[in-house]
Amino acid sequence: MSNKNRIYLNKSNFKMFALTVLILSFINLGHAFIYKLQNTVHAHSELVVTLSFFNDRQRIITGSQDNTVKVWSTADLTLLHTFPTFGDDIMNVGLHPIDNRIFVLVWDGNIFVYDPTTYTQLTTFTHPTGNGNYMVFDVPGNRFIIGGFDGAGVVPALHFYDATSYAHLSATNMNFPVGD
Amino acid sequence: MSLNAAGTHIAVTNLAVSVTTYHFSIYRLSDMSLISTFTDNTDKIRWAFYANTGNLICKTSRDRSIKCYDYDSAFNVYRLGRNWVASDYPYCMNFGLAQTIITTIGNKIVFYTTQNYTRTDVYFELIDVEPIFVLDSTSDVSLMASGMQNGSVSTWKYFPDPDQPAVQTVTFATNLAIGLGVGLGGFLVILITIVICCFCGCCKRFWKKKKIDG
């Protein structure tokens, strides 16, 4: 390096150099990782197909292709409750948006409803036309809607149910089986 | 299948078990009249999900696309907005803060921004050891939970404090990769700064003037 160039690396300008490096480094890391892994638990023996937080944020409910539905503590993933094993794959577990009643949609067409506190079964009924795949609630939580395959030879439809009486209200035919 | 925040629109996808046209249709819930339908995927649509507010809806597909649509109330129609091609098959999705899209791709939870920033669209990736199948988050997105293909469940916590940069990985290899990446990035920053300071004509003049003034 020539004498001319040595001027630019002396002590006096090193502070500015260091400051520049610091600022650029912070810019570089400005969008760094902001989520941290808290806990992992081997919850099911097969694929987890559905998972939801309760409104209280203290509990998580999971459903799996191993035909089980379980409730976990959010804080440390301690198992709080295991529902009796269902007769087929769990397709979806929906929580009522207001009171968090637990709706379990099973591939065999059965729907089970449970109390979110005691986990006791409130009712069970069967989807009228076969396999339900996915369910959503309307915004006030008055109705829930199930879509799915609807079985062989049946025109696929969106099925509307009353979320209080669990009565089947209506169905709107679709041209295709309804997905997630 | 998803409802918008107001509960007025319902978006429906087809399961595409034996078909080759992949429908994505949005209906007015009150009378189930069709608002818009799209057949713009070349493979199965996997997930459709409305944002927590407004009428923004995004969907993932096996064709690796993540497409977002918004409602044009003046014309009563949904229009395609942002469109990404993911590194692999995006699966489950959710919305995070500021309408950030959270999606699962293989063993990663990947965050995309729906804002029109000029910077890269992929925010960052959280890497787990197993392929992630489903995820959910609390309404304020301070907590996330993911369900894996092998039956595992994980929880993730949001750290808003930039002074506590969270290490999100669970594998040594990933930690090593991040360490090397940050190290290499820092080295490059230093190298570039040296080059600028030593060879930039403006800098030369500035320092020369300063030396003379001094």
Side-chain angles (χ1 to χ4, degrees), chain B residues 32 88 101 107 124 188 206 214:
Chain B
M32 288 305 289
D88 204 344
I101 295 170
N107 65 339
F124 58 89
L188 285 174
F206 171 77

Side-chain angles (χ1 to χ4, degrees), chain B residues 31-84:
Chain B
D31 57 3
M32 288 305 289
S33 59
L34 182 67
I35 299 173
S36 288
T37 191
F38 298 91
T39 54
D40 53 359
N41 287 106
T42 56
D43 207 335
K44 294 176 184 177
I45 300 166
R46 189 53 256 190
W47 216 275
F49 205 81
Y50 267 104
N52 300 326
T53 56
N55 293 306
L56 178 70
I57 184 164
C58 300
K59 71 181 193 300
T60 58
S61 165
R62 204 181 174 89
D63 64 14
R64 290 172 44 198
S65 72
I66 301 168
K67 296 176 190 285
C68 294
Y69 308 79
D70 211 344
Y71 181 56
D72 182 344
S73 57
F75 293 92
N76 186 34
V77 70
Y78 276 81
R79 299 189 194 283
L80 177 65
R82 304 302 300 272
N83 182 14
W84 296 272

Side-chain angles (χ1 to χ4, degrees), chain A residues 1 4-5 7-10 12-14 16-18 20-26 28-58 60 62-66 72-77 91-92 95 107 133-140 143 145-149 158 160 171-180, chain B residues 1-8 10 12-17 19 23-25 27 29-30 32 46-49 91 96-97 102 111 119 123-126 128 133-160 164-170 178 181-182 185-186 189-190 193-194 197-199 203-208 210-211:
Chain A
M1 190 177 281
K4 188 182 172 186
N5 282 339
I7 293 167
Y8 311 117
L9 291 172
N10 64 19
S12 63
N13 61 28
F14 181 76
M16 181 162 285
F17 164 74
T20 309
V21 170
L22 199 66
I23 291 168
L24 287 173
S25 298
F26 271 115
N28 188 36
L29 297 173
H31 298 293
F33 312 103
I34 50 173
Y35 279 91
K36 184 174 182 179
L37 181 69
Q38 297 294 288
N39 292 291
T40 297
V41 65
H42 194 71
H44 295 275
S45 61
E46 290 189 43
L47 176 73
V48 181
V49 293
T50 177
L51 173 151
S52 296
F53 281 93
F54 283 81
N55 286 351
D56 63 15
R57 302 157 49 106
Q58 307 300 314
I60 298 167
T62 59
S64 165
Q65 279 187 350
D66 67 7
W72 307 86
S73 156
T74 304
D76 54 7
L77 285 180
M91 301 309 293
N92 194 220
L95 298 179
W107 177 240
N133 178 62
Y134 198 73
M135 66 181 298
V136 291
F137 291 88
D138 69 2
V139 171
R143 296 182 299 171
I145 307 156
I146 294 178
F149 283 96
L158 286 182
F160 292 78
T172 299
N173 289 343
M174 298 279 116
N175 293 322
F176 44 78
V178 179
D180 296 346
Chain B
M1 187 162 68
S2 182
L3 254 69
N4 66 343
T8 51
I10 184 167
V12 182
T13 63
N14 68 326
L15 271 169
V17 178
V19 298
H23 298 270
F24 170 61
S25 302
Y27 300 85
L29 193 62
S30 56
M32 288 305 289
R46 189 53 256 190
W47 216 275
F49 205 81
Y91 202 86
L97 294 171
I102 311 171
F111 294 68
R119 66 175 178 241
Y123 261 159
F124 58 89
E125 298 175 346
L126 307 177
D128 214 313
F133 196 74
V134 287
L135 63 86
D136 190 30
S137 57
T138 54
S139 54
D140 62 357
V141 210
S142 61
L143 292 166
M144 283 197 309
S146 55
M148 268 72 90
Q149 211 162 42
N150 71 344
S152 295
V153 170
S154 294
T155 51
W156 307 79
K157 190 174 180 184
Y158 176 69
F159 282 85
Q164 296 178 0
V167 179
Q168 84 297 348
T169 54
V170 292
I178 286 173
V182 171
V189 165
I190 291 169
T193 311
I194 288 173
C197 285
C198 292
F199 300 108
C203 288
K204 281 181 183 179
R205 281 195 293 277
F206 171 77
W207 290 113
K208 189 179 276 185
K210 196 169 181 185
K211 190 166 184 265

